[in-house]
Amino acid sequence: MFKVNVGGIDRLLRIVLGIVLLALVFVGPKTMWGLIGVVPLVTGLLRTCPLYSILGIKTCPTK
């Protein structure tokens, strides 16, 4: 369905960053800007990034 273009380390960093940013909504400064963490979290979980597709970037190993 989706073309995989996010590799292992990139995926892990996206998921961690997404969780940290989302945590800002509930703890810390409690700012709604933390909701932007949904973007890296979803792209990490789905292993696809629309911006990478547009730019032709692929961080996952080729088969």
Side-chain angles (χ1 to χ4, degrees):
M1 185 169 150
F2 295 110
K3 199 174 232 187
V4 174
N5 60 6
V6 176
I9 294 173
D10 190 10
R11 180 180 187 205
L12 179 65
L13 291 174
R14 286 171 183 265
I15 292 171
V16 169
L17 178 65
I19 291 171
V20 168
L21 289 173
L22 281 173
L24 293 176
V25 175
F26 304 104
V27 295
K30 296 185 181 173
T31 176
M32 295 308 287
W33 281 101
L35 291 177
I36 199 147
V38 170
V39 174
L41 183 61
V42 169
T43 59
L45 292 174
L46 294 178
R47 298 188 68 189
T48 186
C49 177
L51 185 60
Y52 276 13
S53 295
I54 292 169
L55 298 175
I57 299 172
K58 191 173 185 181
T59 61
C60 63
T62 55
K63 293 181 181 180

